[in-house]
Structure formats: C-alpha cells, structure tokens
Amino acid sequence: MNAKIRWGIIGTGNIAQKFAAGLSVLPDSELIAVGSRAKGTADNFGDRFHVAKRYGTYEDLTQDSEIDVIYISTPHNLHKENTLMCLRAGKSVLCEKPFAINAKEAMEMIWYARERRLFLMEAMWTRFFPLMAKVREMLGAGIIGEVRMLMADFGYRSTNLKEWVFDPSFGGGGLLDVGIYPLSLAHSIFGTPDRITSMAHLGETGIDEQSAAILGYKGGRMALIASATRTETPHVAYLLGTEGRIYIHPPWWRPQTLTLSINGKADEVMQIPFDGNGYNYQAAEVARCLREGRIESDTMPLDETLSIMKTMDVIRAQWNLKYPME
Ligand SMILES: NC(=O)c1ccc[n+]([C@@H]2O[C@H](COP(=O)([O-])OP(=O)(O)OC[C@H]3O[C@@H](n4cnc5c(N)ncnc54)[C@H](OP(=O)(O)O)[C@@H]3O)[C@@H](O)[C@H]2O)c1
C-alpha cells in the first residue's frame, strides 16, 4: 500500500463535493481522480477540489491503475451497476447509501466483492463520528442498562417534485433517502427485527413522502423510526434503557452533543466535536481497513448492510411500493 490511499470519485453532485472536502483533511488520503458523465463537469470538479485526473466517463476512471479505492456518489439506481463496474476493474469501493435499491441487488454486490476479495462498504457516515463511538462504548458498558427502546427520525421539506429523489425510476422516496439513517441506527443497536409494522403516505409521484415504522425485537425491544421528504422533522434520537437514556441532539445523524440521563442523577451534557465536515471519518475507516488488508469494516459490516436492505424491502412491500426496475 502506498504512503497515501489514492481515491477516485464517480459522480460530481451534492454529496461528492462534500466528500471531496472531507477527504482533504485526511493526511494519509488523496483524491487523485474524478469521473463524470461529461468531461466538462469532471474538469469543473477537478478545478474546484484540486483533482489532477478528470475522466469523461465512469468506466475510464475505473481503468486508472493508480486508484486504490472508488467512492460512488451517483443516484441510488446506479449503485449496483457502478459498484460492480469498479469491482470488475479490481478496485475497492465505498458506495453511498442506500447501498442498493433492494436486497437482491445488494447480495449481488456483496457476493462479487467477497469473491474477488475486494473491500466494499456502505457509506453510512453517521456511524463513524466520535460521538457514535462514544455511544457504542457507553452501551457496551451498560451505562443506561438494557436498551429497551429507540426513537429516531430524519425528515426534510422539499417542494421540488422534479428532484430525482421523487422519481420511482431512481429509487426515490424518503425511506431509501433518509429513513435509512434511523433504520441503520436501529440495526446497529438491536440487530435484525423479527416484526415490522409500518405506514406511508405515497405522494403524487408515487414515492413515500412520509412514513413511520415500528420494528420489534426479541424480549419486546422496539425501535420507532420516521422519515419524510416534504415535512421537516426534529432530527433527534433517543436510546431508552432500563437505567436511563441517551438523547442525541439534532441533527443526530451529524452528531456532536448528547445528554446522558441516568435514573436518579442530574443530566450530563457531553460535547463530542468532530473534525472536518464529518465525511472524513468514513474515509478514514476505509483507509484503515485497506492498510490492514481487510475487505470489510467491523463498524459497517456487509451482512448488516444486507439486513438493512432486507428490512427496507419488507417495509416497502407493506406499502406496495415497487420500483420500475424491480
Ligand atoms: N451520506 C450523505 O450524507 C448523503 C447525502 C446526500 C446524498 N447521499 C447519497 O448520495 C447519492 C447521490 O446523492 P446526491 O445528493 O449527491 O445527488 P446529486 O447531487 O443529484 O448528484 C448525483 C450525481 O450522480 C451523477 N449521475 C449519474 N447519472 C445521473 C442521473 N441520471 N441523474 C442525475 N445524476 C446522475 C451526476 O454526476 P455526473 O454528472 O458527474 O456524472 C450527479 O451529479 C444518493 O444515493 C444519495 O442517497 C448521501
């Protein structure tokens, strides 16, 4: 492995720009190439983020022998195709959330990466914040006792129904876009649910504009999650245990403050700041894994990614929301 982990990016949109800014604070990583559907767009991105190599197709980028790992930031419906293209070229991959459209696609991606012994991870960036590591440590130490319930939301108000996130052919809808955050949190704490009850409002473009789900687990533990694309929600997360609770302040998915409440004691507010814009932590995890020769992250394992995709499949089936490519 070289002194620096050399990154390439596929797609130059909103999140690619944030990721590039995040990468720039990591001393052991370097963004060396960007791929876009148009060379001019790649050039603009390259100028803005000081990226030397600019490709006018995604495929050309995958053929660059100097790249160690590719970050995929295209719309959801392209994640499988783009990931497989990178893996076939022998590249490690960090793929944006949702990892795929459904569990079937995710299985194919995971199978291929494992077969080729290449690193693959879902870019669920929230998990890698210092505050989330602290929460895992506190839960592991039993500070709030047994966690019995979780409540979390992620909803924003968009009024532009022309955005691809409202288009079923892109895998649009609140669940895959943002509901996946509270769902992923629930999976990381409780594992795979054994009961799922949910409800959604499907809007005029046919996607879920708001939804809520209750996930049930052994022993009666529960997660209550909500998401929306047309309604702003509080962006809070509560972990409720037998001995107390942890409240992650908004936006909980880019966390830096929590309140720990232990039964019978005064609340303790903890500030746990993050460096950069926060996208750097998931990139640092990829770099660590690559240097250690790992093909999966322990913090965002592929089996868990698959389990999350399966849960979203079950939830969507309850709403009769099937995408055109399914
Ligand atoms: N982790 C996070 O915080 C976070 C936040 C937002 C989004 N995301 C995820 O990241 C992915 C991209 O979201 P985004 O908000 O960055 O989207 P975006 O701003 O629309 O950018 C997507 C990029 O994908 C490429 N693309 C390829 N085919 C496209 C098509 N048919 N229509 C539009 N773009 C196409 C384009 O890049 P070129 O023109 O260069 O080819 C475009 O700029 C989504 O899966 C989303 O869920 C993650």
Side-chain angles (χ1 to χ4, degrees), residues 78-134:
L78 295 175
H79 289 177
K80 181 187 106 171
E81 175 188 323
N82 293 160
T83 294
L84 289 177
M85 184 173 69
C86 296
L87 294 171
R88 279 191 203 106
K91 303 298 187 203
S92 297
V93 173
L94 173 66
C95 178
E96 259 309 335
K97 46 55 59 179
F99 190 67
I101 290 293
N102 53 34
K104 185 168 172 276
E105 286 192 1
M107 256 184 280
E108 206 178 320
M109 296 152 74
I110 292 168
W111 181 87
Y112 195 77
R114 285 177 174 162
E115 182 73 10
R116 293 282 310 263
R117 296 206 52 77
L118 289 166
F119 178 85
L120 177 60
M121 188 178 99
E122 175 188 359
M124 180 41 75
W125 67 308
T126 295
R127 287 195 181 198
F128 301 95
F129 278 77
L131 183 141
M132 286 302 182
K134 179 70 181 171

Short mmCIF file of all heavy atoms in Angstrom, two decimals, residues 78-134:
data_model
loop_
_atom_site.label_atom_id
_atom_site.label_comp_id
_atom_site.label_asym_id
_atom_site.label_seq_id
_atom_site.Cartn_x
_atom_site.Cartn_y
_atom_site.Cartn_z
N LEU A 78 -28.14 3.61 -9.59
CA LEU A 78 -26.89 3.28 -10.28
C LEU A 78 -25.86 2.60 -9.38
O LEU A 78 -24.79 2.21 -9.84
CB LEU A 78 -26.28 4.56 -10.88
CG LEU A 78 -27.11 5.22 -11.98
CD1 LEU A 78 -26.48 6.53 -12.41
CD2 LEU A 78 -27.23 4.28 -13.18
N HIS A 79 -26.19 2.48 -8.09
CA HIS A 79 -25.17 1.99 -7.15
C HIS A 79 -24.68 0.58 -7.50
O HIS A 79 -23.49 0.30 -7.46
CB HIS A 79 -25.70 2.03 -5.71
CG HIS A 79 -25.84 3.43 -5.18
ND1 HIS A 79 -26.34 3.72 -3.94
CD2 HIS A 79 -25.53 4.64 -5.74
CE1 HIS A 79 -26.33 5.03 -3.76
NE2 HIS A 79 -25.86 5.60 -4.84
N LYS A 80 -25.62 -0.30 -7.84
CA LYS A 80 -25.21 -1.67 -8.16
C LYS A 80 -24.32 -1.70 -9.40
O LYS A 80 -23.22 -2.24 -9.38
CB LYS A 80 -26.44 -2.57 -8.37
CG LYS A 80 -26.04 -4.01 -8.68
CD LYS A 80 -27.21 -4.88 -9.05
CE LYS A 80 -27.16 -5.15 -10.54
NZ LYS A 80 -28.12 -6.15 -10.99
N GLU A 81 -24.82 -1.10 -10.46
CA GLU A 81 -24.09 -1.10 -11.74
C GLU A 81 -22.69 -0.46 -11.57
O GLU A 81 -21.69 -1.01 -12.02
CB GLU A 81 -24.94 -0.29 -12.72
CG GLU A 81 -24.37 -0.03 -14.07
CD GLU A 81 -25.28 0.97 -14.84
OE1 GLU A 81 -26.53 0.90 -14.70
OE2 GLU A 81 -24.73 1.80 -15.56
N ASN A 82 -22.64 0.68 -10.88
CA ASN A 82 -21.36 1.37 -10.73
C ASN A 82 -20.41 0.59 -9.82
O ASN A 82 -19.21 0.51 -10.09
CB ASN A 82 -21.57 2.77 -10.16
CG ASN A 82 -22.30 3.71 -11.11
OD1 ASN A 82 -22.85 4.72 -10.69
ND2 ASN A 82 -22.32 3.39 -12.40
N THR A 83 -20.96 0.01 -8.76
CA THR A 83 -20.10 -0.77 -7.85
C THR A 83 -19.53 -1.98 -8.57
O THR A 83 -18.32 -2.26 -8.49
CB THR A 83 -20.92 -1.24 -6.62
OG1 THR A 83 -21.29 -0.09 -5.88
CG2 THR A 83 -20.13 -2.17 -5.72
N LEU A 84 -20.37 -2.71 -9.30
CA LEU A 84 -19.88 -3.90 -10.00
C LEU A 84 -18.83 -3.52 -11.04
O LEU A 84 -17.84 -4.23 -11.22
CB LEU A 84 -21.04 -4.66 -10.64
CG LEU A 84 -21.98 -5.38 -9.65
CD1 LEU A 84 -23.14 -6.04 -10.38
CD2 LEU A 84 -21.23 -6.42 -8.81
N MET A 85 -19.03 -2.40 -11.69
CA MET A 85 -18.05 -1.95 -12.69
C MET A 85 -16.68 -1.70 -12.02
O MET A 85 -15.64 -2.09 -12.56
CB MET A 85 -18.56 -0.67 -13.36
CG MET A 85 -17.69 -0.15 -14.48
SD MET A 85 -18.50 1.23 -15.31
CE MET A 85 -18.44 2.47 -14.03
N CYS A 86 -16.69 -1.08 -10.87
CA CYS A 86 -15.43 -0.81 -10.14
C CYS A 86 -14.79 -2.12 -9.66
O CYS A 86 -13.58 -2.31 -9.78
CB CYS A 86 -15.69 0.09 -8.94
SG CYS A 86 -16.27 1.72 -9.38
N LEU A 87 -15.62 -2.99 -9.09
CA LEU A 87 -15.08 -4.26 -8.58
C LEU A 87 -14.48 -5.09 -9.72
O LEU A 87 -13.42 -5.69 -9.56
CB LEU A 87 -16.18 -5.06 -7.86
CG LEU A 87 -16.75 -4.45 -6.57
CD1 LEU A 87 -17.96 -5.24 -6.10
CD2 LEU A 87 -15.69 -4.40 -5.46
N ARG A 88 -15.16 -5.10 -10.86
CA ARG A 88 -14.64 -5.85 -12.01
C ARG A 88 -13.27 -5.32 -12.44
O ARG A 88 -12.43 -6.06 -12.93
CB ARG A 88 -15.60 -5.76 -13.20
CG ARG A 88 -16.75 -6.72 -13.08
CD ARG A 88 -17.55 -6.81 -14.37
NE ARG A 88 -18.89 -7.27 -14.04
CZ ARG A 88 -19.99 -6.53 -14.02
NH1 ARG A 88 -19.95 -5.27 -14.39
NH2 ARG A 88 -21.13 -7.05 -13.65
N ALA A 89 -13.07 -4.02 -12.22
CA ALA A 89 -11.77 -3.41 -12.56
C ALA A 89 -10.75 -3.61 -11.43
O ALA A 89 -9.65 -3.06 -11.48
CB ALA A 89 -11.97 -1.93 -12.86
N GLY A 90 -11.15 -4.35 -10.40
CA GLY A 90 -10.22 -4.66 -9.31
C GLY A 90 -10.08 -3.57 -8.27
O GLY A 90 -9.13 -3.55 -7.49
N LYS A 91 -11.07 -2.66 -8.22
CA LYS A 91 -10.99 -1.55 -7.26
C LYS A 91 -11.82 -1.83 -6.00
O LYS A 91 -12.90 -2.43 -6.09
CB LYS A 91 -11.55 -0.26 -7.88
CG LYS A 91 -10.87 0.16 -9.16
CD LYS A 91 -9.41 0.47 -8.96
CE LYS A 91 -8.81 1.06 -10.22
NZ LYS A 91 -7.36 0.87 -10.29
N SER A 92 -11.32 -1.33 -4.88
CA SER A 92 -12.13 -1.31 -3.66
C SER A 92 -13.17 -0.22 -3.82
O SER A 92 -12.97 0.72 -4.59
CB SER A 92 -11.25 -0.99 -2.46
OG SER A 92 -10.29 -2.01 -2.28
N VAL A 93 -14.28 -0.35 -3.05
CA VAL A 93 -15.41 0.58 -3.25
C VAL A 93 -16.00 1.04 -1.91
O VAL A 93 -16.24 0.23 -1.01
CB VAL A 93 -16.52 -0.09 -4.09
CG1 VAL A 93 -17.76 0.80 -4.15
CG2 VAL A 93 -16.03 -0.39 -5.50
N LEU A 94 -16.27 2.33 -1.84
CA LEU A 94 -17.13 2.91 -0.81
C LEU A 94 -18.36 3.42 -1.55
O LEU A 94 -18.25 4.34 -2.38
CB LEU A 94 -16.42 4.07 -0.10
CG LEU A 94 -17.28 4.88 0.88
CD1 LEU A 94 -17.69 4.03 2.08
CD2 LEU A 94 -16.52 6.13 1.37
N CYS A 95 -19.54 2.81 -1.29
CA CYS A 95 -20.74 3.15 -2.05
C CYS A 95 -21.74 3.89 -1.18
O CYS A 95 -22.05 3.44 -0.07
CB CYS A 95 -21.37 1.87 -2.60
SG CYS A 95 -22.89 2.18 -3.51
N GLU A 96 -22.26 4.99 -1.69
CA GLU A 96 -23.23 5.79 -0.93
C GLU A 96 -24.44 4.96 -0.48
O GLU A 96 -24.76 3.93 -1.07
CB GLU A 96 -23.71 6.99 -1.77
CG GLU A 96 -23.05 8.30 -1.41
CD GLU A 96 -23.10 8.63 0.08
OE1 GLU A 96 -23.99 8.15 0.80
OE2 GLU A 96 -22.23 9.40 0.54
N LYS A 97 -25.10 5.45 0.55
CA LYS A 97 -26.36 4.88 1.00
C LYS A 97 -27.48 5.42 0.13
O LYS A 97 -27.32 6.54 -0.38
CB LYS A 97 -26.62 5.16 2.47
CG LYS A 97 -26.38 6.58 2.97
CD LYS A 97 -27.04 7.75 2.33
CE LYS A 97 -28.53 7.81 2.29
NZ LYS A 97 -29.03 9.07 1.63
N PRO A 98 -28.58 4.75 -0.08
CA PRO A 98 -28.76 3.34 0.24
C PRO A 98 -27.82 2.53 -0.65
O PRO A 98 -27.63 2.86 -1.83
CB PRO A 98 -30.22 3.08 -0.13
CG PRO A 98 -30.49 4.04 -1.24
CD PRO A 98 -29.70 5.27 -0.90
N PHE A 99 -27.27 1.47 -0.10
CA PHE A 99 -26.27 0.66 -0.79
C PHE A 99 -26.77 0.20 -2.16
O PHE A 99 -26.00 0.13 -3.12
CB PHE A 99 -26.01 -0.54 0.11
CG PHE A 99 -24.85 -1.39 -0.28
CD1 PHE A 99 -23.55 -0.90 -0.21
CD2 PHE A 99 -25.04 -2.71 -0.68
CE1 PHE A 99 -22.48 -1.70 -0.55
CE2 PHE A 99 -23.98 -3.51 -1.01
CZ PHE A 99 -22.69 -3.02 -0.96
N ALA A 100 -28.06 -0.08 -2.24
CA ALA A 100 -28.66 -0.55 -3.49
C ALA A 100 -30.16 -0.25 -3.44
O ALA A 100 -30.64 0.34 -2.48
CB ALA A 100 -28.43 -2.05 -3.63
N ILE A 101 -30.87 -0.69 -4.47
CA ILE A 101 -32.32 -0.48 -4.50
C ILE A 101 -33.03 -1.48 -3.58
O ILE A 101 -34.02 -1.15 -2.93
CB ILE A 101 -32.84 -0.63 -5.95
CG1 ILE A 101 -32.37 0.56 -6.79
CG2 ILE A 101 -34.36 -0.79 -6.01
CD1 ILE A 101 -32.98 1.90 -6.39
N ASN A 102 -32.50 -2.70 -3.55
CA ASN A 102 -33.14 -3.75 -2.74
C ASN A 102 -32.10 -4.79 -2.34
O ASN A 102 -30.93 -4.72 -2.75
CB ASN A 102 -34.30 -4.38 -3.52
CG ASN A 102 -33.86 -4.87 -4.89
OD1 ASN A 102 -32.73 -5.33 -5.05
ND2 ASN A 102 -34.75 -4.77 -5.87
N ALA A 103 -32.54 -5.76 -1.55
CA ALA A 103 -31.61 -6.77 -1.02
C ALA A 103 -31.02 -7.64 -2.14
O ALA A 103 -29.87 -8.05 -2.06
CB ALA A 103 -32.33 -7.64 0.00
N LYS A 104 -31.81 -7.88 -3.18
CA LYS A 104 -31.31 -8.71 -4.28
C LYS A 104 -30.08 -8.06 -4.92
O LYS A 104 -29.06 -8.72 -5.15
CB LYS A 104 -32.44 -8.88 -5.31
CG LYS A 104 -32.14 -9.80 -6.44
CD LYS A 104 -33.44 -10.11 -7.20
CE LYS A 104 -33.16 -10.88 -8.48
NZ LYS A 104 -32.80 -10.02 -9.60
N GLU A 105 -30.18 -6.78 -5.18
CA GLU A 105 -29.03 -6.06 -5.76
C GLU A 105 -27.84 -6.07 -4.79
O GLU A 105 -26.70 -6.30 -5.20
CB GLU A 105 -29.41 -4.60 -6.04
CG GLU A 105 -30.32 -4.39 -7.22
CD GLU A 105 -30.43 -2.92 -7.63
OE1 GLU A 105 -29.78 -2.04 -7.00
OE2 GLU A 105 -31.17 -2.65 -8.58
N ALA A 106 -28.15 -5.82 -3.51
CA ALA A 106 -27.08 -5.75 -2.50
C ALA A 106 -26.34 -7.09 -2.42
O ALA A 106 -25.11 -7.13 -2.33
CB ALA A 106 -27.67 -5.38 -1.15
N MET A 107 -27.10 -8.18 -2.49
CA MET A 107 -26.49 -9.52 -2.40
C MET A 107 -25.49 -9.75 -3.54
O MET A 107 -24.42 -10.29 -3.33
CB MET A 107 -27.58 -10.58 -2.47
CG MET A 107 -27.86 -11.20 -1.12
SD MET A 107 -29.05 -12.51 -1.22
CE MET A 107 -30.57 -11.65 -1.28
N GLU A 108 -25.88 -9.30 -4.71
CA GLU A 108 -25.01 -9.48 -5.88
C GLU A 108 -23.69 -8.70 -5.70
O GLU A 108 -22.61 -9.20 -5.99
CB GLU A 108 -25.76 -8.95 -7.10
CG GLU A 108 -25.35 -9.58 -8.40
CD GLU A 108 -26.20 -9.02 -9.55
OE1 GLU A 108 -27.42 -8.83 -9.40
OE2 GLU A 108 -25.60 -8.78 -10.62
N MET A 109 -23.82 -7.48 -5.20
CA MET A 109 -22.63 -6.64 -4.99
C MET A 109 -21.71 -7.26 -3.93
O MET A 109 -20.50 -7.34 -4.09
CB MET A 109 -23.06 -5.23 -4.53
CG MET A 109 -23.87 -4.47 -5.58
SD MET A 109 -25.01 -3.26 -4.84
CE MET A 109 -23.90 -1.95 -4.31
N ILE A 110 -22.33 -7.71 -2.85
CA ILE A 110 -21.55 -8.27 -1.73
C ILE A 110 -20.89 -9.58 -2.16
O ILE A 110 -19.70 -9.83 -1.87
CB ILE A 110 -22.47 -8.46 -0.50
CG1 ILE A 110 -22.90 -7.10 0.05
CG2 ILE A 110 -21.80 -9.31 0.57
CD1 ILE A 110 -24.03 -7.15 1.08
N TRP A 111 -21.66 -10.40 -2.85
CA TRP A 111 -21.12 -11.69 -3.31
C TRP A 111 -19.89 -11.46 -4.17
O TRP A 111 -18.85 -12.09 -4.00
CB TRP A 111 -22.18 -12.46 -4.09
CG TRP A 111 -21.68 -13.79 -4.55
CD1 TRP A 111 -21.71 -14.96 -3.85
CD2 TRP A 111 -21.02 -14.07 -5.80
NE1 TRP A 111 -21.11 -15.95 -4.59
CE2 TRP A 111 -20.68 -15.43 -5.79
CE3 TRP A 111 -20.70 -13.30 -6.92
CZ2 TRP A 111 -20.03 -16.05 -6.85
CZ3 TRP A 111 -20.03 -13.91 -7.98
CH2 TRP A 111 -19.72 -15.26 -7.94
N TYR A 112 -19.99 -10.50 -5.09
CA TYR A 112 -18.89 -10.28 -6.03
C TYR A 112 -17.65 -9.74 -5.32
O TYR A 112 -16.53 -10.16 -5.59
CB TYR A 112 -19.34 -9.34 -7.16
CG TYR A 112 -18.40 -9.37 -8.32
CD1 TYR A 112 -18.41 -10.43 -9.22
CD2 TYR A 112 -17.45 -8.36 -8.50
CE1 TYR A 112 -17.50 -10.47 -10.28
CE2 TYR A 112 -16.56 -8.40 -9.55
CZ TYR A 112 -16.59 -9.46 -10.44
OH TYR A 112 -15.69 -9.50 -11.48
N ALA A 113 -17.85 -8.81 -4.39
CA ALA A 113 -16.71 -8.24 -3.66
C ALA A 113 -15.99 -9.32 -2.85
O ALA A 113 -14.76 -9.39 -2.83
CB ALA A 113 -17.18 -7.12 -2.74
N ARG A 114 -16.79 -10.17 -2.21
CA ARG A 114 -16.16 -11.23 -1.40
C ARG A 114 -15.44 -12.23 -2.28
O ARG A 114 -14.35 -12.71 -1.94
CB ARG A 114 -17.24 -11.92 -0.54
CG ARG A 114 -17.66 -11.04 0.64
CD ARG A 114 -18.76 -11.69 1.44
NE ARG A 114 -19.06 -10.90 2.65
CZ ARG A 114 -20.17 -11.00 3.35
NH1 ARG A 114 -21.11 -11.86 2.99
NH2 ARG A 114 -20.35 -10.26 4.43
N GLU A 115 -16.05 -12.56 -3.41
CA GLU A 115 -15.45 -13.49 -4.36
C GLU A 115 -14.09 -12.98 -4.85
O GLU A 115 -13.12 -13.73 -4.93
CB GLU A 115 -16.43 -13.64 -5.55
CG GLU A 115 -16.02 -14.61 -6.63
CD GLU A 115 -16.17 -16.06 -6.19
OE1 GLU A 115 -16.75 -16.31 -5.13
OE2 GLU A 115 -15.65 -16.93 -6.94
N ARG A 116 -14.03 -11.68 -5.13
CA ARG A 116 -12.78 -11.08 -5.63
C ARG A 116 -11.87 -10.62 -4.50
O ARG A 116 -10.80 -10.09 -4.74
CB ARG A 116 -13.11 -9.86 -6.53
CG ARG A 116 -13.81 -10.16 -7.83
CD ARG A 116 -12.86 -10.70 -8.90
NE ARG A 116 -11.66 -9.91 -9.10
CZ ARG A 116 -11.50 -8.99 -10.05
NH1 ARG A 116 -12.48 -8.76 -10.89
NH2 ARG A 116 -10.36 -8.33 -10.16
N ARG A 117 -12.33 -10.79 -3.26
CA ARG A 117 -11.60 -10.34 -2.07
C ARG A 117 -11.20 -8.85 -2.16
O ARG A 117 -10.06 -8.45 -1.94
CB ARG A 117 -10.37 -11.23 -1.80
CG ARG A 117 -10.75 -12.67 -1.49
CD ARG A 117 -9.74 -13.40 -0.64
NE ARG A 117 -9.35 -12.72 0.59
CZ ARG A 117 -10.10 -12.66 1.70
NH1 ARG A 117 -11.28 -13.25 1.74
NH2 ARG A 117 -9.66 -12.02 2.76
N LEU A 118 -12.23 -8.06 -2.50
CA LEU A 118 -12.03 -6.61 -2.60
C LEU A 118 -12.84 -5.92 -1.50
O LEU A 118 -13.94 -6.36 -1.17
CB LEU A 118 -12.51 -6.11 -3.96
CG LEU A 118 -11.61 -6.51 -5.14
CD1 LEU A 118 -12.33 -6.28 -6.46
CD2 LEU A 118 -10.28 -5.74 -5.10
N PHE A 119 -12.31 -4.85 -0.99
CA PHE A 119 -13.00 -4.09 0.06
C PHE A 119 -14.26 -3.43 -0.50
O PHE A 119 -14.26 -2.84 -1.58
CB PHE A 119 -12.07 -3.01 0.62
CG PHE A 119 -12.74 -2.18 1.68
CD1 PHE A 119 -12.77 -2.61 3.00
CD2 PHE A 119 -13.37 -0.98 1.35
CE1 PHE A 119 -13.41 -1.86 3.98
CE2 PHE A 119 -14.01 -0.23 2.33
CZ PHE A 119 -14.03 -0.67 3.64
N LEU A 120 -15.34 -3.53 0.29
CA LEU A 120 -16.60 -2.88 -0.08
C LEU A 120 -17.30 -2.42 1.20
O LEU A 120 -17.35 -3.17 2.18
CB LEU A 120 -17.49 -3.88 -0.84
CG LEU A 120 -18.89 -3.41 -1.24
CD1 LEU A 120 -18.86 -2.20 -2.16
CD2 LEU A 120 -19.65 -4.57 -1.93
N MET A 121 -17.83 -1.20 1.19
CA MET A 121 -18.54 -0.69 2.37
C MET A 121 -19.62 0.30 1.96
O MET A 121 -19.44 1.06 1.00
CB MET A 121 -17.55 0.01 3.32
CG MET A 121 -18.15 0.41 4.66
SD MET A 121 -16.90 1.17 5.74
CE MET A 121 -17.25 2.91 5.49
N GLU A 122 -20.73 0.28 2.69
CA GLU A 122 -21.79 1.28 2.52
C GLU A 122 -21.36 2.56 3.24
O GLU A 122 -20.92 2.51 4.38
CB GLU A 122 -23.09 0.74 3.14
CG GLU A 122 -24.24 1.71 3.14
CD GLU A 122 -25.44 1.18 3.95
OE1 GLU A 122 -25.38 0.06 4.48
OE2 GLU A 122 -26.42 1.93 4.05
N ALA A 123 -21.54 3.70 2.58
CA ALA A 123 -21.09 4.97 3.15
C ALA A 123 -22.10 5.53 4.16
O ALA A 123 -22.63 6.63 3.97
CB ALA A 123 -20.82 5.97 2.03
N MET A 124 -22.35 4.78 5.20
CA MET A 124 -23.26 5.26 6.27
C MET A 124 -22.40 6.08 7.23
O MET A 124 -22.00 5.62 8.29
CB MET A 124 -23.94 4.05 6.94
CG MET A 124 -24.90 4.41 8.06
SD MET A 124 -25.96 5.84 7.80
CE MET A 124 -27.18 5.23 6.66
N TRP A 125 -22.14 7.32 6.84
CA TRP A 125 -21.12 8.16 7.50
C TRP A 125 -21.39 8.43 8.98
O TRP A 125 -20.48 8.60 9.77
CB TRP A 125 -20.96 9.47 6.73
CG TRP A 125 -22.15 10.40 6.75
CD1 TRP A 125 -23.43 10.07 6.45
CD2 TRP A 125 -22.15 11.79 7.07
NE1 TRP A 125 -24.24 11.18 6.55
CE2 TRP A 125 -23.48 12.25 6.94
CE3 TRP A 125 -21.17 12.71 7.46
CZ2 TRP A 125 -23.86 13.58 7.19
CZ3 TRP A 125 -21.54 14.02 7.70
CH2 TRP A 125 -22.86 14.44 7.57
N THR A 126 -22.71 8.44 9.36
CA THR A 126 -23.08 8.75 10.75
C THR A 126 -22.39 7.82 11.75
O THR A 126 -22.00 8.23 12.84
CB THR A 126 -24.61 8.63 10.88
OG1 THR A 126 -25.20 9.64 10.06
CG2 THR A 126 -25.08 8.82 12.31
N ARG A 127 -22.24 6.56 11.37
CA ARG A 127 -21.67 5.58 12.31
C ARG A 127 -20.26 5.89 12.76
O ARG A 127 -19.78 5.36 13.77
CB ARG A 127 -21.63 4.20 11.64
CG ARG A 127 -22.96 3.60 11.53
CD ARG A 127 -22.86 2.14 11.22
NE ARG A 127 -24.21 1.64 11.10
CZ ARG A 127 -24.57 0.39 11.17
NH1 ARG A 127 -23.64 -0.53 11.39
NH2 ARG A 127 -25.81 0.02 11.05
N PHE A 128 -19.56 6.68 11.95
CA PHE A 128 -18.12 6.83 12.18
C PHE A 128 -17.76 8.08 12.98
O PHE A 128 -16.59 8.33 13.23
CB PHE A 128 -17.39 6.80 10.83
CG PHE A 128 -17.65 5.50 10.11
CD1 PHE A 128 -18.65 5.40 9.16
CD2 PHE A 128 -16.94 4.36 10.45
CE1 PHE A 128 -18.91 4.20 8.52
CE2 PHE A 128 -17.19 3.15 9.82
CZ PHE A 128 -18.18 3.08 8.85
N PHE A 129 -18.78 8.85 13.39
CA PHE A 129 -18.50 10.06 14.18
C PHE A 129 -17.98 9.67 15.57
O PHE A 129 -18.40 8.66 16.13
CB PHE A 129 -19.78 10.89 14.34
CG PHE A 129 -20.07 11.76 13.16
CD1 PHE A 129 -20.60 11.22 12.00
CD2 PHE A 129 -19.81 13.12 13.20
CE1 PHE A 129 -20.87 12.02 10.90
CE2 PHE A 129 -20.08 13.93 12.11
CZ PHE A 129 -20.61 13.38 10.96
N PRO A 130 -17.10 10.52 16.15
CA PRO A 130 -16.61 10.23 17.50
C PRO A 130 -17.76 10.05 18.50
O PRO A 130 -17.68 9.19 19.39
CB PRO A 130 -15.78 11.47 17.84
CG PRO A 130 -15.40 12.05 16.52
CD PRO A 130 -16.48 11.71 15.55
N LEU A 131 -18.83 10.83 18.35
CA LEU A 131 -19.94 10.70 19.30
C LEU A 131 -20.56 9.31 19.21
O LEU A 131 -20.94 8.72 20.22
CB LEU A 131 -21.00 11.78 19.06
CG LEU A 131 -22.17 11.76 20.05
CD1 LEU A 131 -22.60 13.17 20.44
CD2 LEU A 131 -23.37 10.97 19.54
N MET A 132 -20.67 8.77 18.00
CA MET A 132 -21.28 7.45 17.86
C MET A 132 -20.38 6.36 18.48
O MET A 132 -20.88 5.39 19.05
CB MET A 132 -21.58 7.15 16.40
CG MET A 132 -22.77 7.91 15.89
SD MET A 132 -24.26 7.55 16.89
CE MET A 132 -25.49 8.52 16.05
N ALA A 133 -19.07 6.57 18.37
CA ALA A 133 -18.15 5.62 19.01
C ALA A 133 -18.34 5.68 20.53
O ALA A 133 -18.35 4.64 21.21
CB ALA A 133 -16.71 5.95 18.63
N LYS A 134 -18.56 6.87 21.04
CA LYS A 134 -18.79 7.05 22.48
C LYS A 134 -20.10 6.37 22.90
O LYS A 134 -20.17 5.71 23.96
CB LYS A 134 -18.85 8.56 22.80
CG LYS A 134 -19.09 8.91 24.23
CD LYS A 134 -17.89 8.58 25.09
CE LYS A 134 -18.13 8.91 26.54
NZ LYS A 134 -17.03 8.38 27.40
#
